[in-house]
Amino acid sequence: MDAIWLSPFYPSELADGGYDVIDYRNVDPRLGTLEDFDELVTALHAHGMKIVVDIVPNHTSNMHEWFQAALTAEPGSPERDRYIFREGRGEHGELPPNDWQSLFGGRPGNAWPTANGICTSSQWSSRTNWKNPEVHEDFKKTLRFWSDRGVDGFRIDVAHGLAKISTANPSPRWTRTACSTPTIAMGTTRCGAAPKCTTSTVNGTPCSMNTGQHASPSARHG
């Protein structure tokens, strides 16, 4: 063995196995400290081994400081532009903006769950807006942070999903088919799966793009 790969070890509520990241430049205190991480890197390099870590740029935890700021910011604000927001359909924005479905299946539009009366893209994470240069620069800062601490490489989680379709129009009906390779259409999809969603509002309150995971029944639109 000449390298190890660490799945996310960052502060997280662990709603998605650590992929719901609260702080990209720290270690979850349940796992250790930055000093512990530095010791690990030093020991690995001393044995001629390299270290690769997961980076999760496609979405953040809903407890990330950026998303918390976005929830209280005005439409069109810099805080909102770090994520992907869309208006809901219906007279009062009470309906999902389209009928896109979670990659994990379920009813049309179920990729638009709500939590505490506000659609937050899922109960625990929200899609970043990679058309925003600030998002690019912040993740460059994260890459530099860990590179400076001796990390040799990165595995980019959901790299295929960073570019997102921006339309909120209802999608055409999809026919599930069997295939052996992933397919890309109307945004990011997988073989036999419906496309991922954008975002909506609940009673006029905006919400952000889903990660493709479904929320609990009590946290879904409708």
Side-chain angles (χ1 to χ4, degrees):
M1 184 172 70
D2 57 10
I4 67 168
W5 163 30
L6 298 183
S7 58
F9 52 87
Y10 317 108
S12 168
E13 293 193 311
L14 300 180
D16 187 30
Y19 286 84
D20 49 317
V21 179
I22 296 174
D23 182 354
Y24 290 88
R25 296 186 284 272
N26 208 338
V27 174
D28 192 302
R30 289 167 290 192
L31 301 176
T33 65
L34 283 171
E35 289 72 23
D36 293 331
F37 181 87
D38 293 341
E39 290 181 13
L40 172 65
V41 172
T42 299
L44 288 170
H45 288 168
H47 286 82
M49 298 175 65
K50 297 185 181 298
I51 181 169
V52 176
V53 303
D54 260 8
I55 295 292
V56 190
N58 182 62
H59 53 272
T60 74
S61 166
N62 65 359
M63 298 306 296
H64 191 285
E65 62 178 359
W66 273 13
F67 191 66
Q68 290 296 304
L71 288 178
T72 58
E74 295 295 325
S77 64
E79 292 82 3
R80 287 275 181 90
D81 194 50
R82 294 164 175 162
Y83 294 89
I84 296 180
F85 287 81
R86 293 291 180 272
E87 294 297 323
R89 293 178 294 156
E91 184 178 355
H92 303 291
E94 71 277 10
L95 300 175
N98 58 42
D99 61 356
W100 287 7
Q101 189 178 33
S102 166
L103 285 176
F104 291 89
R107 68 190 184 195
N110 78 328
W112 312 88
T114 63
N116 299 323
I118 301 175
C119 179
T120 60
S121 83
S122 85
Q123 287 183 305
W124 39 263
S125 61
S126 296
R127 289 289 184 96
T128 47
N129 175 19
W130 275 82
K131 291 184 179 180
N132 184 338
E134 185 181 6
V135 174
H136 287 243
E137 292 306 313
D138 193 71
F139 276 97
K140 287 179 184 178
K141 184 177 179 180
T142 294
L143 295 174
R144 293 188 189 102
F145 178 88
W146 294 110
S147 293
D148 289 345
R149 301 191 93 92
V151 168
D152 300 292
F154 302 91
R155 179 255 180 189
I156 307 300
D157 183 61
V158 196
H160 63 285
L162 297 184
K164 304 169 182 70
I165 192 167
S166 60
T167 180
N169 295 328
S171 63
R173 294 297 176 186
W174 278 69
T175 300
R176 292 179 181 273
T177 59
C179 60
S180 59
T181 56
T183 59
I184 303 295
M186 289 201 59
T188 301
T189 69
R190 294 178 185 171
C191 176
K196 291 185 179 180
C197 72
T198 52
T199 60
S200 73
T201 68
V202 177
N203 297 326
T205 303
C207 56
S208 66
M209 178 182 267
N210 198 341
T211 61
Q213 290 85 352
H214 62 267
S216 64
S218 63
R220 292 179 182 166
H221 252 295

